[in-house]
Amino acid sequence: MNKCSLYLQKQNSTMPRPVRHRKMGKPPGVKGFRPHGAKSVQAAVEMLYEEYEALKLADYDRYSQVEAAEKMDVSRPTFTRIYDKALKKIARAFVEHREIIIKGGQVTFDEDWFRCNSCHYIFKMPGKGNNISHCPVCGSQDIIDETAGNRRAEKGSETWCVCVECRNKVKHEPGIPCRKMECPECNGRMKRLNG
Amino acid sequence: MKVVITSKSNSPESKMDLRFGRAPWFAVYNTESGDLDFVANEGAAENSGAGPKVAQLIANLGAVKVFSGDFGPKAKDALQSFGIEMVVLKDEPMIQTLIQQIK
């Protein structure tokens, strides 16, 4: 037993460890699936992005569970759990003729997908990360970050980092933990606001 | 400026191929002169290492930008070392329409 778990035992705390973010390649092409010819409308089954990705990696791309777990940046048993949930949800939707809606979940994308509002191409540029200023096809600057849109929709609103020393607020940059940031005003430690 | 698009066949009416290393053809478009050439991918059927070979081929052609549907990890590294910009498109447009939109 390590220090941390001893500490938790002493505190008699039951708070679980935060969920590790699962890595994803592409977001699914559709938002869900609807049963054909169902007589009554039932509540939909909500499938998480990570469950869709697990199913895709294991059964569509035919990776072994070990490889798929590595791709998603989770442990092998966790991958199995996610995959199992995905199968159960699909089985339930099929048997009880429910809709499947794919949304939410704790995921990060390798690279964000962008959409150009002028030529409507959906694109990403490997190696450039997310610092894209204009569309590589038509050169228009009217582009939107599709993936960030999904992430924001999950969390509800924008997040902020706040300085512990001077209470200075800086907009949170996705991917960089607030505690690793330095306050631009006083170089103090920062933390997530309301986090 | 030369732009390469992975292609399913060697005509302007064909669609962009979503694979990079194993695409059967490459459309090479010169944005200044408007010339469009097609280059066959001889290494498409190879067991491994198709991506880096194609990256080398594209670098030899003098292209600065590649359009495809996906880049493998080896191809990504190779193209990055050659300083070639990669663009991943989600759907497969016709070579003709894509060329008309490229500036």
Side-chain angles (χ1 to χ4, degrees):
Chain A
M1 198 182 280
N2 60 28
K3 237 182 190 174
C4 184
S5 49
L6 265 174
Y7 172 72
L8 284 174
Q9 216 176 30
K10 218 187 265 176
Q11 292 271 304
N12 198 18
S13 161
T14 49
M15 189 181 157
R17 196 175 54 79
V19 171
R20 189 182 177 90
H21 278 244
R22 290 88 162 88
K23 251 193 202 159
M24 254 185 103
K26 278 183 200 178
V30 289
K31 284 178 177 162
F33 296 91
R34 197 170 276 178
H36 181 82
K39 284 201 181 88
S40 56
V41 181
Q42 303 248 35
V45 173
E46 279 184 12
M47 193 172 204
L48 301 178
Y49 269 9
E50 64 221 48
E51 288 158 4
Y52 162 84
E53 182 72 0
L55 194 77
K56 176 184 168 277
L57 288 172
D59 291 338
Y60 186 79
D61 297 335
R62 307 293 292 163
Y63 285 110
S64 76
Q65 292 209 345
V66 179
E67 288 170 322
E70 263 170 34
K71 277 194 177 273
M72 282 179 77
D73 199 19
V74 293
S75 74
R76 214 274 311 141
T78 303
F79 178 84
T80 310
R81 270 194 296 275
I82 299 170
Y83 175 74
D84 200 45
K85 270 189 193 163
L87 284 191
K88 277 191 178 143
K89 282 184 183 177
I90 289 173
R92 181 156 176 247
F94 273 25
V95 176
E96 297 177 8
H97 40 86
R98 290 173 192 269
E99 258 180 60
I100 300 173
I101 290 170
I102 307 171
K103 66 174 196 184
Q106 298 279 337
V107 291
T108 47
F109 293 89
D110 286 354
E111 248 137 9
D112 284 7
W113 286 92
F114 289 82
R115 192 178 57 212
C116 174
N117 280 333
S118 160
C119 61
H120 305 296
Y121 279 116
I122 297 173
F123 62 92
K124 64 179 177 183
M125 295 173 80
K128 280 199 123 188
N130 300 329
N131 311 316
I132 300 173
S133 60
H134 57 268
C135 171
V137 180
C138 68
S140 162
Q141 295 194 345
D142 187 10
I143 55 170
I144 51 166
D145 190 332
E146 280 238 307
T147 331
N150 286 339
R151 269 206 298 267
R152 261 200 286 284
E154 274 166 40
K155 285 186 177 169
S157 64
E158 283 171 336
T159 47
W160 297 82
C161 310
V162 63
C163 176
V164 186
E165 313 285 329
C166 67
R167 310 300 297 170
N168 177 32
K169 272 203 294 183
V170 185
K171 208 166 158 190
H172 173 69
E173 238 176 89
I176 307 166
C178 297
R179 62 193 147 76
K180 286 198 179 151
M181 297 272 295
E182 260 184 15
C183 174
E185 300 278 306
C186 66
N187 293 331
R189 212 158 48 86
M190 304 204 79
K191 65 170 193 174
R192 178 71 67 93
L193 184 69
N194 304 329
Chain B
M1 184 177 91
K2 270 186 182 171
V3 177
V4 170
I5 307 159
T6 53
S7 173
K8 287 191 171 166
S9 75
N10 59 346
S11 83
E13 283 92 39
S14 69
K15 281 186 171 175
M16 184 185 93
D17 201 300
L18 289 177
R19 298 161 305 171
F20 174 70
R22 308 208 181 267
W25 291 87
F26 300 106
V28 185
Y29 177 63
N30 192 325
T31 48
E32 275 112 39
S33 62
D35 291 342
L36 178 65
D37 292 323
F38 284 88
V39 178
N41 181 8
E42 275 145 21
E46 268 179 60
N47 280 332
S48 71
K53 266 176 207 156
V54 170
Q56 182 72 52
L57 176 83
I58 284 167
N60 290 346
L61 288 169
V64 292
K65 215 188 250 184
V66 191
F67 287 85
S68 189
D70 201 7
F71 295 95
K74 282 188 225 161
K76 226 182 256 184
D77 290 345
L79 287 169
Q80 234 163 3
S81 66
F82 293 131
I84 298 167
E85 226 173 49
M86 289 165 264
V87 183
V88 176
L89 296 181
K90 205 172 188 180
D91 37 28
E92 4 183 329
M94 222 196 272
I95 301 289
Q96 223 169 16
T97 42
L98 185 59
I99 280 170
Q100 274 162 10
Q101 283 160 323
I102 294 172
K103 274 181 188 165

